Amino acid sequence: MDLSSRSERLMGTTITVSICDPQADELLAHCFELLRSFEHRFSANDARSELMEVNHQAGIAPVQVHPDLFELIALGTLHSQAKNSHLNIAIGPLVQTWRIGFSDARRPAPEEIEQALLKIDPQQIQLDQENYTVFLKRPGMKIDLGALAKGYSADLIATYLRVKGIKDALIDLGGNILTVGQHPVKQQPWRIGIQNPVEKRGNHLLVLSVKDKSVVTSGIYERHLEVDGQSFHHIFDSATGYPVETDLASITIISDRSVDGEIWTTRLFGDSPTSILNTVESLPGIETLLVSQSGKIAYTSGLQSYL
């Protein structure tokens, strides 16, 4: 039996799901129905999304949300409030001020950045676990789940496929790969290429062999804004309001859950390579691969088994 794949543009990227099953067409169609519903739930760029209802009520009232949305916001809030974390799900006002990755991207005036910084404190997110309500305490606050939603959605799709008896699948959400089992036709681990940041897309520095793992890469080489000879990437520093200053081009995290890959690539982006490697070595079941802007690589001890 051949591998069946389906692709659609969703969540700001091209998503491809590949499985091997007599009912593949039906299962894939349902996967994309689910993905569209997740996009409607988690999007910070769709004025009608469930998340945007929370943002519209900032400073006004708590909003009751779907359990999935509550769980993702709670997870994001926990990691945003962690010490020295570069992840901040309250960063919406800053992202919307710069708009990097959108056609209307621009370099904001310093006073606009100052204004945005007043509204991005994750400590001001109030959660009610019993009633599934979320309240943003300050007017003008905006949650942006862009750093986490793809990974969380990939995990939900993998759960759905497993429930349906699928033992092998590849879920590719553009830079965010989740493997279920192995390649069903070749009967070997899935092979995942790691982009060389200084080369054209599709040129790989190395290839990882993975089974039942997520491979998430976060990089500064994908989306840029060029202004007066200066280049600004899309990963922001909550302290300064400007893109993170770093020698790294990308961080790749290998983990069981895709959302964990999203959390840690974002939490750690902005730390020194040595600090990142030390942190990841202390986390059970997680490995990392770092690529500097010159193309130099460094990785944790356990990554060797995927090469």
Side-chain angles (χ1 to χ4, degrees):
M1 200 188 307
D2 290 337
L3 197 62
S4 300
S5 297
R6 179 167 168 166
S7 299
E8 272 188 43
R9 188 141 181 98
L10 283 170
M11 301 181 182
T13 190
T14 300
I15 294 179
T16 305
V17 182
S18 307
I19 59 173
C20 210
D21 191 82
Q23 308 291 300
D25 289 351
E26 215 174 293
L27 290 167
L28 291 171
H30 191 64
C31 283
F32 281 90
E33 271 172 42
L34 287 171
L35 285 161
R36 279 189 290 276
S37 72
F38 301 153
E39 180 169 53
H40 176 67
R41 189 159 292 146
F42 304 138
S43 176
N45 300 308
D46 174 358
R48 299 180 309 269
S49 75
E50 292 176 41
L51 172 64
M52 286 305 277
E53 185 53 35
V54 173
N55 292 345
H56 292 320
Q57 294 295 319
I60 302 166
V63 176
Q64 189 171 41
V65 298
H66 186 281
D68 286 349
L69 181 54
F70 186 87
E71 184 182 42
L72 186 53
I73 291 174
L75 189 63
T77 301
L78 176 76
H79 287 278
S80 298
Q81 293 179 356
K83 196 177 169 207
N84 301 327
S85 174
H86 296 278
L87 170 64
N88 180 1
I89 63 164
I91 206 161
L94 193 60
V95 172
Q96 294 301 331
T97 301
W98 283 85
R99 304 280 298 161
I100 292 176
F102 297 93
S103 57
D104 54 351
R106 63 190 182 88
R107 180 183 180 164
E111 48 272 23
E112 290 177 86
I113 291 172
E114 288 301 316
Q115 283 304 306
L117 288 177
L118 298 173
K119 301 171 193 158
I120 64 166
D121 179 4
Q123 305 289 340
Q124 304 301 315
I125 301 171
Q126 192 175 318
L127 303 171
D128 178 345
Q129 182 80 51
E130 270 179 44
N131 300 304
Y132 290 118
T133 64
V134 182
F135 180 46
L136 307 182
K137 295 198 230 171
R138 285 187 196 153
M141 282 182 74
K142 290 186 177 85
I143 289 178
D144 186 327
L145 297 171
L148 304 178
K150 286 195 295 184
Y152 188 79
S153 300
D155 291 331
L156 291 175
I157 293 297
T159 300
Y160 163 73
L161 289 172
R162 285 187 179 108
V163 166
K164 291 292 180 184
I166 299 293
K167 297 200 168 39
D168 304 301
L170 184 73
I171 303 160
D172 178 351
L173 291 85
N176 182 323
I177 312 268
L178 181 58
T179 63
V180 177
Q182 62 179 2
H183 195 298
V185 180
K186 297 178 179 172
Q187 293 293 304
Q188 63 185 40
W190 294 99
R191 293 177 57 72
I192 313 299
I194 300 299
Q195 172 68 30
N196 185 333
V198 294
E199 300 273 348
K200 281 201 185 77
R201 195 166 180 81
N203 285 306
H204 298 142
L205 267 178
L206 47 85
V207 176
L208 303 174
S209 294
V210 295
K211 288 165 75 169
D212 283 312
K213 292 283 178 189
S214 157
V215 180
V216 172
T217 298
S218 185
I220 60 169
Y221 51 86
E222 287 281 337
R223 285 185 276 166
H224 279 268
L225 166 66
E226 307 286 336
V227 184
D228 302 332
Q230 270 186 296
S231 181
F232 299 96
H233 61 79
H234 73 288
I235 299 175
F236 291 102
D237 184 332
S238 292
T240 66
Y242 286 85
V244 166
E245 289 193 16
T246 177
D247 292 331
L248 285 179
S250 67
I251 299 182
T252 298
I253 294 276
I254 302 178
S255 54
D256 291 339
R257 291 194 315 170
S258 194
V259 74
D260 291 330
E262 298 261 40
I263 285 165
W264 287 104
T265 54
T266 315
R267 267 191 70 160
L268 298 169
F269 221 115
D271 287 358
S272 71
T274 307
S275 167
I276 294 169
L277 293 171
N278 287 339
T279 300
V280 177
E281 288 283 10
S282 73
L283 297 169
I286 293 185
E287 302 300 336
T288 190
L289 168 75
L290 310 179
V291 183
S292 73
Q293 293 191 35
S294 61
K296 208 171 85 173
I297 64 172
Y299 47 81
T300 46
S301 54
L303 191 103
Q304 197 69 44
S305 60
Y306 300 106
L307 295 173

